[in-house]
Amino acid sequence: MSNVVEFRGVSYAVSGLQIIDSLDLAVAKGEILILLGESGCGKTTTLKLINRLLEPTSGAVLVEGRPTTEWNTVELRRHIGYVLQEGGLFPHMTIAENVGLPLRLRNEPSSSRVSEMLDLVDLSPERFASRYPHELSGGQRQRVGVARALVSDPDLLLLDEPFGALDALTRNALQKEFAKLVRELGKTAVFVTHDLHEAMLLGDRIALMDKGRLVLLASPGDFRRSDIPLVRSYLDTVLAPA
């Protein structure tokens, strides 16, 4: 199985503060890789290094076999869908305009593709295309964010705690829908969360980070069986007993 993303000895520092420290990590084609850890552990920085919002201080981040520093930034990001909390929607744009934005930036027709994507995330175009973000629930806005990330058919999805602001029932429903959708479409995804339940539910593998370092990279089953003290502490305090 080929790798879509690779970190080779990557470090990232700001004003002498080491945020990522000698990270080696590969994301296989078609997998959902979870970056798990508490605030400040470096997981969002790791995500931003993939789409070149940040560049490594040392080492190399490769996307599709090429260092990000050798990609044209616009071209790189056309290969990547990016989803934030609340979808990162523009409040002055309609739902159709929000979803179709990546295509319009490329001067590509968007109308039929937008309708297709809204149908894909269970938002009827007839009902939702002309609405504005403030007219939707949090869960609906998040669906719009996923639709926009998928509209240009990217090879890779990056998601930064996309369901963190939602209520528990909505979050659980969207987690299951997202995992099903990504696997049916054959996408590769890197998903940031601090929620172990979410990591266990969604991830093919979980990369646990602490202070900029990779503590463990394992399947959910192997994660649960790990004897590493930080992992055991995570399991004991976050995951309810089976």
Side-chain angles (χ1 to χ4, degrees), residues 72-212:
N72 173 278
T73 304
V74 173
E75 185 64 24
L76 173 65
R77 291 174 187 165
R78 284 178 178 173
H79 285 68
I80 297 171
Y82 198 30
V83 185
L84 305 170
Q85 278 193 20
E86 291 285 327
L89 305 181
F90 293 101
H92 62 287
M93 291 184 179
T94 66
I95 298 311
E97 289 169 340
N98 267 286
V99 174
L101 182 60
L103 297 180
R104 293 198 303 279
L105 291 174
R106 296 162 63 168
N107 295 314
E108 296 180 8
S110 62
S111 180
S112 62
R113 181 67 174 169
V114 167
S115 294
E116 181 185 347
M117 289 300 99
L118 288 175
D119 277 330
L120 189 68
V121 297
D122 292 325
L123 294 175
S124 165
E126 291 76 17
R127 289 185 57 203
F128 292 97
S130 61
R131 295 189 187 182
Y132 287 86
H134 73 271
E135 298 178 288
L136 274 59
S137 69
Q140 289 169 339
R141 287 193 295 271
Q142 202 57 60
R143 284 187 170 90
V144 175
V146 172
R148 184 173 64 186
L150 291 169
V151 73
S152 57
D153 197 23
D155 302 311
L156 174 64
L157 298 175
L158 305 180
L159 302 102
D160 194 357
E161 305 209 48
F163 308 135
L166 303 176
D167 65 86
L169 288 176
T170 302
R171 183 169 65 246
N172 186 257
L174 282 182
Q175 286 166 347
K176 292 176 180 177
E177 290 175 18
F178 168 78
K180 182 174 181 286
L181 183 62
V182 168
R183 293 189 169 104
E184 285 181 351
L185 295 175
K187 301 299 182 183
T188 304
V190 182
F191 191 112
V192 164
T193 185
H194 64 273
D195 184 332
L196 184 56
H197 293 280
E198 187 165 68
M200 290 286 194
L201 177 66
L202 297 181
D204 294 304
R205 291 188 300 161
I206 299 169
L208 177 63
M209 299 185 68
D210 183 50
K211 298 176 182 176

